[in-house]
Amino acid sequence: MAVRDARAPRRWVWWALALLTVPTALAAVAVLAPVGESPAPGRSVPGNDAVADLSIVAAPTAARPTPADRDPAAAERERVTVLLADRPIVFTADSADLTAPAAETVREVARLLAAVPGAAVLVEGHAADTPGGLEAARLLSERRADVVADALVAAGVSAERVATRGRGAEAPLTTVERSRRVEISVR
């Protein structure tokens, strides 16, 4: 029979406590550090030398500017992308009629595109679940793209900026509903 070391469970407990206390200590330092003040390296906060040394770790760092910060058109393109990710333009089966939510999304995209008058817009239609084969899917996807492009133009986007393309069943997505979609990309 093997003899078990009585200290083994205690070692595990000590390691667990050590791992739990380090992040807690750093969080406490962030809370205890004076708001809006970060002491210079080597300087201390009166009355708490430990906080002075560790508060530098908790000091906020300056954010790097993103391309969207430097280019207003990039910011609007990003807003369009985020909008379409949240509210995709989808159609009912074997139809090229805009639903009310899709029409609202198209109007919102047009409003965002007004901020970038020089940007080109590509509207791509998809139709992966269309009966009648690949040619029928291509024609339906073209009609869907044309309907969305017409809605963009009616909402104030210049027709010269908008190009359309029907992709048919080339790029289906995992769900059938999402495969009946129109994608808008801004360049």
Side-chain angles (χ1 to χ4, degrees):
M1 175 179 250
V3 177
R4 204 167 105 166
D5 185 6
R7 292 178 294 171
R10 281 189 238 139
R11 284 187 197 140
W12 179 83
V13 170
W14 282 108
W15 277 106
L17 286 174
L19 290 174
L20 290 173
T21 56
V22 169
T24 305
L26 288 176
V29 167
V31 171
L32 294 174
V35 177
E37 296 180 21
S38 289
R43 292 192 49 191
S44 65
V45 174
N48 197 345
D49 292 335
V51 171
D53 294 335
L54 293 176
S55 66
I56 295 169
V57 173
T61 58
R64 288 188 202 157
T66 63
D69 294 334
R70 292 185 293 260
D71 181 15
E76 292 306 314
R77 285 191 296 269
E78 187 175 319
R79 285 188 187 98
V80 168
T81 303
V82 169
L83 171 70
L84 292 172
D86 289 341
R87 298 178 0 203
I89 301 170
V90 293
F91 293 81
T92 58
D94 203 27
S95 172
D97 296 329
L98 276 177
T99 61
E104 180 60 35
T105 300
V106 171
R107 282 191 293 275
E108 184 67 21
V109 168
R111 188 187 64 75
L112 291 172
L113 289 174
V116 281
V121 181
L122 176 62
V123 180
E124 293 181 309
H126 298 270
D129 66 332
T130 305
L134 295 176
E135 183 62 20
R138 186 187 60 76
L139 291 173
L140 179 58
S141 67
E142 287 176 0
R143 284 197 330 260
R144 288 176 176 169
D146 289 340
V147 164
V148 171
D150 291 343
L152 285 172
V153 170
V157 177
S158 172
E160 293 83 36
R161 296 173 53 191
V162 181
T164 61
R165 183 169 94 177
R167 297 200 52 203
E170 288 178 22
L173 295 178
T174 55
T175 64
V176 173
E177 179 184 75
R178 293 292 302 242
S179 293
R180 299 187 303 245
R181 71 193 185 281
V182 166
E183 296 176 345
I184 299 173
S185 52
V186 181
R187 297 177 265 138

